[in-house]
């Protein structure tokens, strides 16, 4: 069925929706990996539990905030801990 295009509006709508969701998930995963990369390059040790926490985070706003913090933070706690 390679190359087949669905003809109905119903099918095309849900195919497009699936593509959009896939793109969003890809962006979230890429941002999570970026957080870990910045921390690694800056020499900040990331234990497995913290690595899993970063990769499990699905909120793009939280990941963006962590990425911004990772660029200047002196420790992992400064990146992941929410201010009280």
């Amino acid at each position: 069925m390679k190359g087949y295009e669905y003809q109905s509006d119903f099918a095309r709508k849900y195919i497009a929706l699936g593509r959009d969701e896939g793109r969003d998930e890809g962006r979230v995963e890429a941002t999570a990996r970026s957080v870990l990369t910045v921390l690694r390059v800056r020499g900040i040790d990331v234990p497995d539990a913290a690595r899993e926490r970063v990769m499990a985070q699905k909120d793009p706003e939280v990941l963006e905030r962590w990425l911004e913090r990772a660029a200047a933070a002196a420790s992992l706690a400064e990146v992941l801990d929410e201010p009280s």
Side-chain angles (χ1 to χ4, degrees), residues 47-63:
D48 289 341
R51 181 176 308 281
E52 290 173 12
R53 178 179 172 195
V54 171
M55 292 306 296
Q57 180 57 253
K58 300 303 177 201
D59 185 337
E61 291 178 12
V62 170
L63 287 166

Side-chain angles (χ1 to χ4, degrees), residues 24 26-35 38 54 57-72 79-80 82:
D24 291 343
R27 284 185 194 109
V28 165
E29 183 175 342
T31 305
R33 290 190 184 283
S34 295
V35 170
V38 169
V54 171
Q57 180 57 253
K58 300 303 177 201
D59 185 337
E61 291 178 12
V62 170
L63 287 166
E64 286 291 329
R65 189 166 51 247
W66 287 354
L67 183 56
E68 290 169 0
R69 291 179 189 171
V79 175
L80 300 182
E82 295 298 324

Side-chain angles (χ1 to χ4, degrees), residues 19-41:
R19 282 190 187 120
D20 290 345
E21 288 175 1
R23 284 187 191 111
D24 291 343
E25 289 173 12
R27 284 185 194 109
V28 165
E29 183 175 342
T31 305
R33 290 190 184 283
S34 295
V35 170
L36 296 173
T37 298
V38 169
L39 291 169
R40 179 181 49 80
V41 168

